[in-house]
Amino acid sequence: MEFCLVTHVHPDHVTKDYMPDEMRMIAQNEMDAETLRKMGFQNVEGFSDTTMSIGQVTIHRVDGLHGDTPEAVGRMGPVSGFVLESKSEVPLYIAGDTIYYEGVRQTISRFLPGVIIVNCCAATTPIGRLIMGLEDVERVCADAPDALVIASHLDTVNHATVSSADVKQMALEKGLKQIRVPADGESITILSQ
């Protein structure tokens, strides 16, 4: 079973350049699903509720906040994260493009994920910071001290202010052994607990 969850349709997340046309695409909502269809993807659906199941996996759509100022949030538009649950695996939380805010804390508290993927390059524009930075990652770790936290969306974003080296250094200095920063092209296998 292969599918792609689309947190939002900004070009740094999904384009026709690297996704096969026939890939099953699941968008955060029907508006984004329609945008994907117009891009030429053929097998697209959008969340109509906050939960859907695919095989033995239950996927929960959760809100994100794509900016730390009202102007940034307004310009970036709605974004989502996803929590994947299965009886045979630990819950996986894909935070997506969000800053740390009460919604992230509530998602962690509600689902108790064993793995959390955070986009954390602290991408910043004149209208504000758009996604998590080092302090946000530290807060996620404090909320989920037993979870593996995978730092993503690093080193390839031109408006990033935090690098993979910065995240590794912060993890070392703070003793946050739960943080993992994948190397370029690295796959991470997560085993059930």
Side-chain angles (χ1 to χ4, degrees):
M1 163 182 34
E2 192 171 79
F3 57 89
C4 175
L5 292 170
V6 182
T7 60
H8 60 301
V9 291
H10 291 169
D12 62 330
H13 286 264
V14 61
T15 69
K16 289 284 289 177
D17 300 337
Y18 60 89
M19 295 296 293
D21 291 349
E22 66 280 355
M23 171 65 75
R24 183 177 182 187
M25 308 286 280
I26 303 170
Q28 68 169 333
N29 55 38
E30 187 52 41
M31 184 174 72
D32 281 8
E34 186 56 32
T35 299
L36 291 169
R37 290 182 196 104
K38 288 177 181 174
M39 291 170 67
F41 291 104
Q42 303 164 5
N43 188 7
V44 179
E45 61 191 290
F47 269 79
S48 58
D49 197 357
T50 58
T51 303
M52 73 166 49
S53 293
I54 299 176
Q56 299 299 312
V57 178
T58 300
I59 305 168
H60 305 273
R61 188 199 62 74
V62 296
D63 291 332
L65 191 62
H66 201 344
D68 66 353
T69 67
E71 185 178 0
V73 172
R75 285 235 189 126
M76 294 299 103
V79 296
S80 295
F82 299 103
V83 177
L84 285 73
E85 290 185 306
S86 169
K87 290 179 182 174
S88 61
E89 305 289 337
V90 297
L92 167 68
Y93 174 26
I94 303 165
D97 273 8
T98 187
I99 61 167
Y100 179 92
Y101 75 112
E102 181 62 18
V104 170
R105 189 198 66 73
Q106 288 176 1
T107 296
I108 293 169
S109 177
R110 176 180 171 198
F111 293 103
L112 303 173
V115 179
I116 303 170
I117 302 172
V118 293
N119 295 350
C120 61
C121 70
T124 303
T125 68
I127 61 172
R129 183 169 52 89
L130 305 179
I131 62 175
M132 290 189 192
L134 296 176
E135 289 181 5
D136 299 272
V137 175
E138 193 173 355
R139 288 181 184 132
V140 167
C141 291
D143 288 346
D146 297 324
L148 170 64
V149 177
I150 300 172
S152 180
H153 214 37
L154 295 159
D155 303 331
T156 58
V157 181
N158 62 2
H159 51 296
T161 60
V162 169
S163 68
S164 56
D166 296 330
V167 176
K168 290 176 184 176
Q169 184 63 35
M170 184 269 295
L172 185 64
E173 288 174 2
K174 304 279 185 175
L176 298 171
K177 295 179 181 179
Q178 72 197 92
I179 296 176
R180 178 95 179 263
V181 181
D184 288 348
E186 179 183 1
S187 294
I188 296 176
T189 301
I190 302 164
L191 302 174
S192 299
Q193 294 183 355

